[in-house]
Amino acid sequence: MAPKRNVWPYVLISLCVLSFALCVVFTLFWPSNSHDYAYILRDYKGKLAVYEMDGTQPLEVYEVYTHLLPESDVLHLQKGIPVETEEELHRLLEDFGW
């Protein structure tokens, strides 16, 4: 007779993994609420760039190569990081190494 296995730890782990995956998907792809942002940080040809919120061309491109950043930062930059103020823009640029 085979030993009886307790499946509840596996079910709990599976639910935790599924919950985490759903949180990541909704965070990355759920449309953000309407807000008045001044700028957006995005990737432009492999470099960090600042756009006006409604702009299609970057206002400024920095010598910060996005492929050298952590993967989570790259994913956020591909989506676009909205920025409300000049102070927040400067803080984020410092965080990215500019």
Side-chain angles (χ1 to χ4, degrees):
M1 184 170 160
K4 186 176 180 182
R5 291 183 136 178
N6 191 353
V7 296
W8 287 111
Y10 298 107
V11 170
L12 182 61
I13 290 170
S14 298
L15 288 174
C16 289
V17 169
L18 179 63
S19 297
F20 177 75
L22 287 173
C23 287
V24 169
V25 168
F26 281 117
T27 300
L28 293 177
F29 299 108
W30 194 264
S32 60
N33 57 357
S34 155
H35 202 283
D36 291 330
Y37 295 108
Y39 305 103
I40 188 163
L41 283 173
R42 273 191 268 171
D43 178 88
Y44 177 76
K45 297 182 180 181
K47 294 182 180 179
L48 180 65
V50 175
Y51 292 76
E52 286 184 329
M53 198 58 192
D54 57 355
T56 57
Q57 292 297 316
L59 294 172
E60 185 142 5
V61 179
Y62 299 93
E63 293 296 317
V64 175
Y65 295 94
T66 56
H67 72 277
L68 299 175
L69 297 172
E71 186 177 342
S72 62
D73 289 342
V74 173
L75 292 173
H76 284 100
L77 287 170
Q78 288 172 349
K79 180 182 171 190
I81 301 172
V83 182
E84 290 185 29
T85 64
E86 289 273 334
E87 294 80 23
E88 183 182 6
L89 176 63
H90 291 296
R91 184 187 56 77
L92 285 169
L93 290 172
E94 286 178 5
D95 289 347
F96 283 117
W98 180 251

